[in-house]
Amino acid sequence: MEKIVEPNVENILSKSFIFIMAMTCGICAGSNYYNQPLIYSIAEALKVNADQVALTIVISQLSYAVGLFILVPLGDFFEKRSYICLLMCCTGLAQVGLSLSQTLPALYGFTFLATFFSIATQVLVPFAAGLASPKKSPQVVGTLMSGLFLGILLARSIAGLLSTVWSWHAVYLISGIVILVFAWVMWVKLPVARKSHQLNILQIYGSLFSLAVHQPHLLRRGFAGGIGFGILALIFTTMTFILANEPYHFNDFQIGLFGIVGLAGVFATPWAGKKIAAGLENKIAVICMGLLISAWIPLFFAQQSLVAYAVGVIMAYFGLSAFHVLNQNLVYRISAEARSRINSIYMTLYFGGAALGSFIAVYAWKHWGWEACAALGLVMALVSFTIDRLDFYEMNKIAKPEKAP
């Protein structure tokens, strides 16, 4: 657990500062999704196949998962404010380098670096949760996750707009500069926190495996959330393929603009935070799983009806957004002292699922088309539902003896 050097923690967590942190989460997380509507534009500029550029989506998810496993646990070792700002600076510089890419290897390399260091958000969120009181913490997490999901949604639209009126290079140049500016804002605004434990780096990494072995609840929430996020990754990875071809023939901006239909997810996170604070975790889980499963009915008709496609995206985005807030609040309760390491394990599984979903999307689309993607997405939703129900069953078994007189 960290000791906050600066006093008056409740004053630090003013509404305005929570909003700034939410913006920071959105800017950092959103920068990983600029490539999704730009696949064809980048392919044309570099004179390569769209399938080759689409691999940057898989690289983004994989490198983020690697960053989560390697870098996030160090949030329990280094001073939080300095560490968050350092990661943001590395991300900003890598994004500037990405904007200068002229070859496919350079594109792949800077994509890996930019997403690898962009895990600053995953250090910031548990840090902010620890600053808040136990009663206020779910709402703070919900607000920050709203900013994160809004950033991801707007990133696609902004990337599409800038690419249409300027170039895809400008997208990453501007993003890099903005991230560097917000790194300075975080340096000025965040309180200094010093660790109160004496774990060294090897002990911190060793404790990851200890947590994984002794906390099956953490693994179950991670797998359920990861497979759920894999569903969303599948949907958004194939979105460019669906909308850029028959019968829609959308340009970059139109593809990015369509992604805004997922705006419902932004409203899901504060709603979920309030319900969780009221002790309605199981109800939230059932609603989320129901949405993730039933979303595949309208999504199956994505190539025939734009309205059905939009409805399916909204259902899936709302369901996953609330489910993610639920999972984070559940796993943060395991240990206040190990929140960065807990978040590392959970988010590694979460984005590992996204990488799997992106890979399935690219492979299934290339070989079998959208119908196969939709069938695989439904199977993933059913697997996530099964894991979620198993975890709540196990939690109830543990809770019953504790309630007994």
Side-chain angles (χ1 to χ4, degrees):
M1 183 178 293
E2 297 78 27
K3 290 182 178 179
I4 308 302
V5 175
E6 297 180 13
N8 301 322
V9 169
E10 290 299 324
N11 291 336
I12 293 170
L13 285 180
S14 63
K15 289 184 178 180
S16 61
F17 184 47
I18 293 173
F19 177 73
I20 291 172
M21 287 193 292
M23 287 183 64
T24 302
C25 290
I27 290 166
C28 289
S31 67
N32 298 332
Y33 296 87
Y34 291 137
N35 53 5
Q36 291 186 1
L38 307 180
I39 291 172
Y40 285 100
S41 293
I42 297 175
E44 183 179 353
L46 299 185
K47 295 180 173 57
V48 296
N49 295 329
D51 291 343
Q52 292 175 294
V53 177
L55 284 177
T56 60
I57 299 174
V58 180
I59 291 171
S60 295
Q61 305 294 357
L62 281 174
S63 63
Y64 198 82
V66 173
L68 286 165
F69 185 77
I70 294 176
L71 299 179
V72 170
L74 298 179
D76 287 333
F77 181 77
F78 295 114
E79 191 277 310
K80 288 283 199 299
R81 184 185 69 165
S82 300
Y83 191 50
I84 289 168
C85 295
L86 175 63
L87 291 171
M88 290 179 68
C89 286
C90 291
T91 302
L93 293 173
Q95 294 257 326
V96 173
L98 187 54
S99 73
L100 302 174
S101 299
Q102 298 293 333
T103 64
L104 200 59
L107 183 75
Y108 288 163
F110 280 115
T111 295
F112 183 91
L113 291 174
T115 50
F116 178 70
F117 290 110
S118 67
I119 53 83
T121 295
Q122 304 307 329
V123 181
L124 179 59
V125 172
F127 183 33
L131 292 175
S133 64
K135 186 176 181 180
K136 189 177 179 182
S137 181
Q139 294 183 34
V140 171
V141 172
T143 301
L144 265 59
M145 296 312 298
S146 294
L148 185 148
F149 283 116
L150 182 60
I152 292 173
L153 285 173
L154 293 180
R156 297 184 178 96
S157 300
I158 292 170
L161 175 62
L162 288 175
S163 176
T164 301
V165 301
W166 196 352
S167 74
W168 71 269
H169 299 280
V171 175
Y172 290 104
L173 177 61
I174 294 172
S175 172
I177 294 171
V178 170
I179 289 174
L180 290 173
V181 169
F182 269 80
W184 173 78
V185 173
M186 287 297 100
W187 179 262
V188 173
K189 288 284 191 178
L190 282 174
V192 176
R194 299 208 177 116
K195 60 182 181 179
S196 59
H197 57 72
Q198 299 299 320
L199 292 178
N200 59 40
I201 292 178
L202 290 178
Q203 289 172 325
I204 284 176
Y205 284 119
S207 69
L208 288 176
F209 296 98
S210 177
L211 282 168
V213 170
H214 295 101
Q215 296 293 340
H217 168 59
L218 172 58
L219 294 182
R220 288 192 293 266
R221 295 327 302 178
F223 281 119
I227 295 170
F229 195 33
I231 293 170
L232 206 62
L234 187 154
I235 292 171
F236 279 102
T237 299
T238 53
M239 185 174 287
T240 298
F241 299 139
I242 291 173
L243 297 178
N245 294 294
E246 294 182 357
Y248 304 115
H249 298 290
F250 281 10
N251 61 29
D252 290 351
F253 177 58
Q254 291 170 320
I255 293 170
L257 197 61
F258 181 81
I260 291 183
V261 299
L263 191 64
V266 177
F267 301 104
T269 50
W271 169 78
K274 291 178 181 178
K275 296 297 182 182
I276 293 165
L280 301 174
E281 292 90 346
N282 189 52
K283 181 178 180 181
I284 295 296
V286 171
I287 292 172
C288 293
M289 289 293 97
L291 287 170
L292 282 174
I293 293 170
S294 59
W296 287 104
I297 298 174
L299 282 171
F300 184 81
F301 301 98
Q303 292 177 301
Q304 288 77 43
S305 169
L306 198 62
V307 173
Y309 192 18
V311 170
V313 172
I314 290 170
M315 292 171 66
Y317 214 109
F318 188 97
L320 181 71
S321 299
F323 192 56
H324 181 51
V325 173
L326 169 66
N327 288 336
Q328 284 195 305
N329 276 281
L330 288 175
V331 299
Y332 286 167
R333 297 172 188 175
I334 294 173
S335 171
E337 293 184 354
R339 273 183 173 158
S340 284
R341 283 164 282 160
I342 288 169
N343 202 43
S344 172
I345 295 171
Y346 170 74
M347 294 303 297
T348 298
L349 294 172
Y350 191 70
F351 278 87
L356 177 63
S358 296
F359 177 78
I360 289 173
V362 173
Y363 188 86
W365 176 273
K366 182 178 180 180
H367 291 86
W368 306 299
W370 172 243
E371 290 79 7
C373 292
L376 290 168
L378 177 59
V379 170
M380 292 170 69
L382 291 172
V383 172
S384 182
F385 170 76
T386 302
I387 297 171
D388 172 75
R389 290 299 85 197
L390 174 63
D391 187 56
F392 268 92
Y393 173 75
E394 294 295 333
M395 284 194 293
N396 289 334
K397 276 187 9 182
I398 295 171
K400 283 179 181 179
E402 292 177 353
K403 292 180 181 178

